[in-house]
Amino acid sequence: MTEHAILSWLEHTWLGQTTRNVAWVFPTFETLHFIGLCILMGAMLIVDLRLLGLFRDIKPANTMKFSHVAAFGLSINVVSGIGFFTADPFNYWSNPAFQIKVLLLLFAFANIAWFELGARRRILALPENGDTDIGTKIIGGLSLTLWFAILLLGRLLPSWEGAGGFF
């Protein structure tokens, strides 16, 4: 199946047609995307700043509870983002900001996996005032950098519309 055929199929799905043709769906997705973004970024700030060694007076287990809140915000953004994409896949797919955003999302998901498979247990075992190791600090710093870059690229999507793509 060709790239054009896949994008065309996505455009003609019930979600793509509904998002384009029902006046309130796209603005609803925008509202949900913003809410999800606020939930995700607020929760990740708490988690990542603790991973970086700040807020040592808060038990690591308490800050790690916010990773579940972040996952909820992220799931809202994934669903609404799919709605945006299916509404106009050819426009999004050729947009350099979208292409970089998707690439950074893949890195962010890999960073989440790295955290979940390795660092979470170490952090939960820390005493209340315990500091995190350098590997955990790297995970936290990378996470903050990736999520803020993804946020910025989302804001740049309209500016780079029709730019023709990087890849």
Side-chain angles (χ1 to χ4, degrees), residues 11-164:
E11 186 175 44
H12 291 93
T13 60
W14 67 269
L15 182 59
Q17 291 179 17
T18 303
T19 305
R20 268 190 318 280
N21 298 327
V22 178
W24 57 268
V25 174
F26 196 90
T28 300
F29 278 147
E30 285 181 312
T31 303
L32 289 171
H33 207 73
F34 182 74
I35 291 168
L37 179 67
C38 291
I39 293 168
L40 169 65
M41 295 303 288
M44 289 312 299
L45 270 172
I46 293 167
V47 171
D48 289 338
L49 290 176
R50 182 60 179 106
L51 295 181
L52 287 168
L54 282 82
F55 306 127
R56 286 191 202 162
D57 55 332
I58 301 172
K59 287 183 184 177
N62 290 340
T63 57
M64 292 306 107
K65 291 176 184 175
F66 284 94
S67 64
H68 303 293
V69 175
F72 175 69
L74 180 59
S75 64
I76 293 171
N77 281 8
V78 167
V79 170
S80 57
I82 290 170
F84 295 147
F85 185 75
T86 59
D88 194 3
F90 289 99
N91 184 42
Y92 280 100
W93 193 251
S94 64
N95 189 319
F98 178 78
Q99 294 171 355
I100 297 168
K101 182 177 179 173
V102 169
L103 182 64
L104 292 183
L105 277 168
L106 293 174
F107 286 132
F109 288 130
N111 194 50
I112 291 168
W114 183 22
F115 169 75
E116 291 296 334
L117 295 174
R120 180 180 280 279
R121 277 182 259 133
R122 288 193 314 270
I123 294 161
L124 292 175
L126 283 174
E128 186 170 326
N129 291 326
D131 194 11
T132 54
D133 60 66
I134 189 67
T136 303
K137 287 181 185 283
I138 290 170
I139 290 171
L142 187 58
S143 174
L144 274 179
T145 302
L146 286 168
W147 290 118
F148 276 104
I150 290 165
L151 171 83
L152 176 63
L153 287 162
R155 291 298 306 136
L156 290 174
L157 281 170
S159 303
W160 288 3
E161 228 170 68

